């Protein structure tokens, strides 16, 4: 979006869609799907009277091309419905002046395995902060070549880093080509100027250094890579630019899962543990035949104390490259993909593997092996919670938010329910895919255990030197509140469906998403001062 078809074809689609809309007696809005055939004829295959309305759905993406924001689009639809029903519609309120608001540049994208989650996160932060009375957000994309693009509203709603890059590069030509069609749509809508609040401007390309120097506050929406390993934080600190989350040193520590485990291991006396770990260089397996993998597998499972093993990159995002290995053959296959620098492992390569496994875009030099923790078996079947007790350990994720400088408060944990051996990216961040229960349900999990776990998590954050906010993944004993730390995310995902918003809403009083983001920014500003 915009389509690659020539203008004549686009107009043909528009005209036939308009005719179908009228013929079917549709009202207010709709979305049609169809096919353009080789001979130039059109097949309309689906007629959706209620279009999808996620933050970057096609309804909003296409209306943004004519200068409408999400709010403008919904306002126009409601106005149409009220006019038809004879209901007087209130005058549209023009937003307050942004002169008094603090400018916040939201940076997302990058080149990591989690770059598309970053696009969802950053876009969501930008949209939510548009409701803030304190901050004026602007969206920026970090592309695959480490360039930064200042984005107009219409280009921010594309789905992937690659898509946004492509539309940025062709933006000027697309604008010239589509200008007449855009004006035609505006005329047909008979809308007023007030109905189009987002003026078009050409995307602006700059270096990362230029972006930093031109920023007052950078909201880091990157996941993995320079956004989490301390490199971007180092640059921002050097230029005295305020930002969200922890400083460079802590970010680097949290990104390194092995070092995180080493630091946390000093808290055993507090009931805080880490899974047994083993770090191994990829080159160690270079000359291995199957007999070598079998011997290594035997040593590995004995050292970690588990029959199966978790493998992951030592320093990447929270879901990149993570797999459960059941045998020496699984180990051999995983190492083969890692050695070749493959960007993903196809579904079905490893035992019990559900979906493909996104691998780090940069070839790994080391692998981190971890003991597999057996948990109670929790599932949701036909909207009913099924619980099978095995070890009393459950997998949780817990957000923390800075109350005052140097003091982080743990929020209510969320029970995570995976459909596969490990949580997928979609289950963690995409609506309608995963199951998270906030707080963990009674009577299966004792409230007293949750309180103890929250206090322990605050100790973990203090030990790691976390600032501002974070999300820490762990196993929790549902009766004692003891913790086994998996990893700490110093710039956690902030997609519309991520559990950190659920946990903020569980606070007393409830923190709504925009309020939560404002507090994250305020913490960053206080640290800068």
């Amino acid at each position: 979006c915009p389509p690659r078809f020539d203008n004549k074809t686009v107009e043909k689609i528009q005209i036939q869609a308009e005719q179908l809309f009228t013929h079917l007696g549709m009202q207010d809005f709709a979305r049609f799907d169809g096919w353009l055939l080789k001979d130039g004829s059109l097949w309309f295959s689906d007629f959706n009277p209620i279009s999808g309305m996620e933050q970057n759905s096609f309804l909003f993406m296409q209306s943004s091309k004519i200068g409408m924001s999400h709010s403008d689009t919904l306002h126009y639809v409601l106005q149409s419905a009220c006019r038809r029903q004879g209901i007087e519609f209130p005058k549209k309120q023009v937003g307050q002046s942004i002169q008094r608001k603090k400018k916040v540049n939201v940076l997302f994208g990058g080149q990591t395995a989690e770059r598309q989650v970053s696009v969802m996160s950053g876009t969501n932060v930008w949209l939510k902060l548009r409701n803030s009375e304190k901050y004026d957000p602007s969206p920026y994309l970090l592309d695959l070549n480490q360039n930064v693009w200042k984005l107009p509203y219409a280009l921010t709603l594309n789905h992937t880093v690659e898509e946004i890059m492509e539309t940025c590069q062709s933006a000027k030509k697309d604008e010239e080509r589509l200008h007449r069609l855009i004006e035609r749509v505006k005329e047909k809508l008979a809308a007023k100027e007030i109905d189009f609040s987002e003026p078009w401007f050409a995307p602006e390309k700059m270096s990362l250094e230029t972006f930093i120097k031109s920023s007052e506050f950078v909201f880091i929406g990157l996941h993995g890579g320079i956004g989490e390993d301390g490199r971007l934080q180092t640059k921002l600190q050097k230029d005295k630019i305020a930002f969200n989350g922890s400083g460079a040193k802590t970010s680097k520590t949290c990104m390194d899962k092995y070092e995180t485990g080493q630091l946390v291991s000093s808290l055993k006396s507090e009931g805080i543990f880490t899974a047994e770990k083993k770090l191994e260089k990829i080159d160690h397996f270079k000359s291995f035949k199957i007999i070598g993998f079998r011997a290594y597998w035997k040593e590995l499972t004995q050292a970690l104390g588990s029959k199966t093993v978790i493998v992951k990159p030592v320093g990447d995002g929270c879901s990149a490259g993570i797999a459960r290995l059941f045998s020496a053959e699984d180990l051999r296959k995983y190492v083969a993909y890692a050695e070749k620098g493959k960007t993903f492992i196809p579904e079905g390569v490893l035992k019990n593997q559900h979906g493909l496994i996104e691998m780090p875009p940069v070839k790994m030099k080391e692998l981190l092996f971890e003991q597999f923790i057996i948990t109670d078996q929790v599932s949701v079947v036909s909207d009913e919670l099924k619980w099978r007790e095995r070890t009393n350990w459950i997998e949780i994720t817990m957000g923390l938010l800075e109350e005052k400088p140097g003091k982080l408060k743990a929020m209510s944990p969320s029970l995570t329910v995976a459909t596969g051996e490990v949580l997928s990216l979609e289950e963690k961040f995409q609506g309608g895919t995963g199951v998270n229960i906030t707080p963990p349900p009674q009577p299966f999990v004792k409230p007293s255990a949750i309180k103890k776990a929250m206090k322990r998590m605050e100790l973990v954050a203090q030990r790691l030197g976390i600032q501002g906010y974070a999300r820490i993944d762990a196993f929790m004993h549902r009766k004692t509140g003891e913790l086994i730390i998996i990893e700490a995310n110093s710039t956690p995902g902030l997609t519309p469906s991520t559990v950190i918003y659920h946990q903020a809403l569980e606070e007393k009083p409830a923190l709504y998403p925009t309020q939560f983001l404002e507090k994250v920014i305020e913490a960053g500003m206080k640290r800068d001062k």
Side-chain angles (χ1 to χ4, degrees):
C1 185
R4 296 180 181 87
F5 310 135
D6 58 63
N7 282 12
K8 187 177 178 182
T9 302
V10 174
E11 280 192 278
K12 185 179 177 182
I13 294 169
Q14 287 177 314
I15 289 166
Q16 290 195 20
E18 289 163 1
Q19 290 171 339
L20 275 169
F21 188 92
T22 302
H23 178 71
L24 294 169
M26 302 180 96
Q27 294 166 329
D28 304 326
F29 72 112
R31 193 194 82 232
F32 295 161
D33 302 335
W35 301 86
L36 171 65
L37 305 183
K38 285 183 179 180
D39 64 2
S41 60
L42 301 174
W43 281 3
F44 285 85
S45 56
D46 290 284
F47 311 92
N48 301 281
I50 302 295
S51 171
M53 291 192 187
E54 288 189 322
Q55 64 183 29
N56 57 356
S57 69
F58 287 118
L59 175 71
F60 297 127
M61 191 188 295
Q62 292 167 11
S63 61
S64 72
K65 292 290 184 288
I66 60 171
M68 282 185 162
S69 66
H70 289 66
S71 178
D72 295 336
T73 305
L74 296 174
H75 184 276
Y76 189 88
V77 167
L78 286 169
Q79 196 173 32
S80 169
C82 286
R83 189 187 304 117
R84 191 176 66 254
Q85 298 294 338
I87 298 171
E88 186 178 348
F89 195 78
K91 287 185 179 179
K92 188 173 183 181
Q93 297 294 314
V94 180
Q96 64 167 312
S97 170
I98 62 172
Q99 297 299 320
R100 295 182 287 108
K101 295 184 179 183
K102 177 89 172 174
K103 290 194 174 295
V104 171
N105 291 342
V106 183
L107 184 65
F108 51 86
Q111 54 185 170
T112 71
E114 294 184 322
R115 62 190 179 279
Q116 316 311 3
V117 172
S118 172
V119 169
M120 282 197 291
S121 262
T123 305
N124 185 49
V125 169
W126 161 63
L127 287 170
K128 282 183 166 54
L129 286 176
R130 282 170 60 88
N131 295 318
S132 172
E133 295 180 1
K134 301 176 182 179
Y135 303 109
D136 172 30
S138 297
Y140 287 81
L141 176 83
L142 179 67
D143 72 16
L144 299 175
N145 305 312
Q146 296 288 287
N147 297 308
V148 176
W149 294 83
K150 182 177 182 180
L151 301 174
Y153 200 105
L155 298 194
T156 311
L157 301 184
N158 286 87
H159 295 84
T160 67
V161 172
E162 292 81 355
E163 241 184 305
I164 299 173
M165 279 181 68
E166 187 179 338
T167 51
C168 282
Q169 288 159 357
S170 64
K172 191 175 179 183
K173 285 184 180 178
D174 289 336
E175 173 64 13
E176 290 170 357
R177 177 172 69 88
L178 296 168
H179 181 75
R180 184 176 62 82
L181 291 176
I182 289 169
E183 291 305 309
R184 175 183 174 273
V185 173
K186 285 185 173 182
E187 285 173 18
K188 285 213 162 197
L189 288 174
K192 301 170 186 173
E193 278 304 310
I194 196 173
D195 294 316
F196 306 100
S197 66
E198 298 303 323
W200 165 261
F201 65 84
E204 183 185 340
K205 183 180 176 181
M206 66 193 80
S207 67
L208 180 59
E209 287 67 30
T210 300
F211 164 75
I212 289 171
K213 291 183 187 300
S214 64
S215 300
E216 293 179 45
F217 186 99
V218 173
F219 197 107
I220 303 170
L222 301 169
H223 301 317
I226 68 167
E228 277 195 80
D229 66 11
R231 283 180 287 166
L232 180 56
Q233 288 83 355
T234 297
K235 291 176 184 288
L236 292 166
Q237 286 173 192
K238 182 183 175 185
D239 286 339
K240 296 181 169 58
I241 306 299
F243 58 92
N244 56 305
S246 297
K249 184 180 177 183
T250 297
S251 297
K252 184 180 179 182
T253 298
C254 291
M255 186 68 157
D256 188 320
K257 299 176 177 74
Y258 186 77
E259 190 178 344
T260 299
Q262 293 292 97
L263 281 172
V264 170
S265 64
S266 65
L267 298 173
K268 287 179 182 176
S269 61
E270 302 290 344
I272 301 165
F273 311 96
T274 182
E276 291 293 329
K277 293 175 172 58
K278 181 176 173 60
L279 201 57
E280 193 66 83
K281 293 188 181 301
I282 286 274
D283 287 347
H284 181 78
F285 302 99
K286 207 166 188 177
S287 59
F288 272 33
K289 304 294 183 189
I290 187 60
I291 192 168
F293 281 104
R294 285 172 182 162
Y296 187 89
W297 178 256
K298 186 177 180 181
E299 291 174 13
L300 182 64
T301 52
Q302 285 176 351
L304 298 182
S306 60
K307 292 180 180 179
T308 62
V309 171
I310 294 292
V311 63
K312 60 180 74 170
V314 68
D316 210 300
C318 63
S319 292
I322 299 178
R324 183 182 179 187
L325 307 179
F326 286 81
S327 65
E329 181 61 13
D330 273 353
L331 173 62
R332 185 189 67 77
K333 289 176 180 177
Y334 187 95
V335 168
Y337 277 88
E339 280 180 330
K340 292 172 185 174
K342 297 288 187 181
T343 54
F344 66 91
I345 299 177
E347 183 173 7
V349 170
L350 306 176
K351 184 178 178 181
N352 290 2
Q353 179 189 337
H354 297 274
L356 62 81
I357 298 169
E358 291 271 6
M359 299 290 273
V362 179
K363 187 177 175 181
M364 291 184 283
K365 294 180 180 178
E366 293 178 301
L367 295 178
L368 180 62
F369 297 104
E370 281 186 352
Q371 172 190 17
F372 180 78
I373 306 296
I374 298 172
T375 62
D376 283 4
Q377 194 170 344
V378 185
S379 59
V380 176
V381 181
S382 301
D383 294 330
E384 189 177 339
L385 187 67
K386 302 287 185 181
W387 197 294
R388 182 183 160 208
E389 185 177 319
R390 293 197 292 193
T391 62
N392 287 319
W393 289 98
I394 56 173
E395 188 172 352
I396 63 155
T397 185
M398 191 183 296
L400 300 107
L401 183 63
E402 194 168 292
E403 280 187 314
K404 53 186 178 182
K407 174 63 178 172
L408 274 97
K409 179 183 184 295
M411 296 188 289
S412 175
S414 299
L415 171 68
T416 58
V417 182
T419 56
E421 297 301 333
V422 294
L423 281 170
S424 67
L425 276 172
E426 289 76 16
E427 285 177 309
K428 281 190 174 184
F429 301 116
Q430 188 172 314
T433 53
V435 176
N436 296 285
I437 304 173
T438 311
Q442 297 184 48
F444 301 106
V445 183
K446 292 182 176 181
S448 59
I450 291 174
K451 286 181 181 178
K452 288 174 184 175
M454 290 166 70
K455 290 296 179 187
R456 287 185 172 115
M457 200 65 89
E458 289 169 3
L459 288 176
V460 173
Q462 187 180 351
R463 182 72 183 93
L464 295 174
I466 288 170
Q467 295 170 298
Y469 73 125
R471 193 195 77 236
I472 300 178
D473 300 334
F475 297 102
M476 182 188 103
H477 196 283
R478 65 190 182 100
K479 293 182 179 178
T480 66
E482 292 175 303
L483 297 175
I484 300 173
I485 302 302
I486 301 172
E487 64 185 22
N489 300 281
S490 56
T491 52
L494 293 168
T495 65
S497 304
T498 193
V499 294
I500 206 162
Y501 294 131
H502 306 172
Q503 294 169 10
L505 287 166
E506 190 67 18
E507 289 291 289
K508 301 289 185 285
L511 266 181
Y512 285 85
T514 300
Q515 293 174 300
F516 173 79
L517 295 173
E518 287 175 343
K519 283 190 173 291
V520 167
I521 293 171
E522 285 159 16
M525 288 179 174
K526 285 175 184 175
R527 180 196 56 224
D528 184 53
K529 287 177 184 178

